[in-house]
Each structure stands twice: as C-alpha cells, then as structure tokens.
Amino acid sequence: MLRIVIAVAMLGSVAVQALIVPLLWLDLGENELWGRIFLVSLVVLGVGTLQVFGVCVWMLLTRVRAGSIFSESSFRYVDVIIGAILTAALLTWILAALLAQGSIAPGVVALIGGAGVVLAGMALLVVVMKALLRQAIDREAEACSWRSELDNEVI
C-alpha cells in the first residue's frame, strides 16, 4: 500500500514541476526577476526533496521485502532521508524569511516557520529510527554469532 502512495506522490510531484511551477512563474510576472527566480527555485527544490525522500523510502521497502534491511548499506538511504528532510526544513525557513519581507500576514509567516520546525523534528525522529536500525543490526549479528557457536558445540 505504501508503494502506491509513494507512486501517486511521485506522479503528483512531477505534475507540480511540469504544470504548477510554470504557472507560478507566470503569476509572479509582476515581481522582480530575482524574486521570481528565487521563489520558483525554492518550490522546485522543495518538491525535489520530497522526490528524494520517496525514492529512498521505496528503496528501503525493497530491502525489507528482500530481507536485507538489516545491513550497513541501509544507512546510506536513511542518511539521505535525513538530509532531504533537513533540506526541506531549511527551504521552508528561507521561504518564511522571504515572505516576511513582503506584505504577507505575520501569522502565515509563523505557520510556515512552524512547518519548518515540524520538518526538523521529523528529521530528528528519523535519527532515532536510525539508531534503532543500528541496534537491530547489532542484535542480528550477535544472534548469528550465537547460532554459529551453538552449531559448533552441537557437532
């Protein structure tokens, strides 16, 4: 089920990049060029962080299905997920700072900044989950060692 959700989200993100971003560019036509470029770039990069996150979760799901999730190579995907979430948080804070200089209501800016805090909290949650994965890998190695010792003793 999660793969279906990821696939739909990926299709939606491509649609945003292909359809919504050009419309956003046109809507910002009255603004200064640097502002348009900066804002549209933030949106594209933000969507990109979601795409990176989705690909990494997909790869981890593949490893779960294959029974190879408890290996050192899984950390590569977890580290990229943490980086993607932190990047999304940073982009959110940059967006809030950019909007704070305009005529956007302070409450909206605070909500966007709060969303960045929530994203940073999610990154911390993934760090905790990474530590749990580390413990599970260590326990798996320990159990294999005990099984090997028991097999040698029985023979």
Side-chain angles (χ1 to χ4, degrees):
M1 186 67 163
L2 184 54
R3 287 180 189 240
I4 293 170
V5 171
I6 293 172
V8 169
M10 292 297 258
L11 286 172
S13 69
V14 170
V16 165
Q17 287 175 327
L19 302 171
I20 304 298
V21 168
L23 293 175
L24 176 62
W25 178 264
L26 293 174
D27 282 347
L28 296 172
E30 297 174 5
N31 296 355
E32 292 183 36
L33 181 60
W34 70 267
R36 289 171 70 187
I37 292 171
F38 195 70
L39 190 58
V40 170
S41 297
L42 281 177
V43 171
V44 169
L45 291 172
V47 171
T49 62
L50 295 174
Q51 291 169 334
V52 168
F53 177 85
V55 168
C56 288
V57 171
W58 188 285
M59 297 305 294
L60 288 172
L61 287 173
T62 301
R63 295 174 83 52
V64 167
R65 181 166 283 195
S68 62
I69 189 70
F70 296 117
S71 65
E72 293 292 324
S73 59
S74 295
F75 288 111
R76 172 180 52 200
Y77 298 111
V78 176
D79 290 337
V80 172
I81 288 171
I82 293 167
I85 296 171
L86 287 175
T87 300
L90 180 63
L91 291 171
T92 304
W93 290 325
I94 291 171
L95 177 63
L98 182 67
L99 293 176
Q101 296 175 6
S103 61
I104 302 296
V108 172
V109 173
L111 284 173
I112 294 171
V117 172
V118 169
L119 285 167
M122 287 175 56
L124 291 174
L125 177 63
V126 176
V127 169
V128 170
M129 293 170 68
K130 178 182 174 184
L132 293 173
L133 178 61
R134 166 66 63 204
Q135 287 180 353
I137 290 171
D138 292 345
R139 297 301 173 265
E140 178 76 14
E142 189 177 345
C144 286
S145 172
W146 288 348
R147 274 187 236 126
S148 175
E149 287 181 24
L150 284 175
D151 288 345
N152 290 334
E153 292 297 322
V154 171
I155 296 174

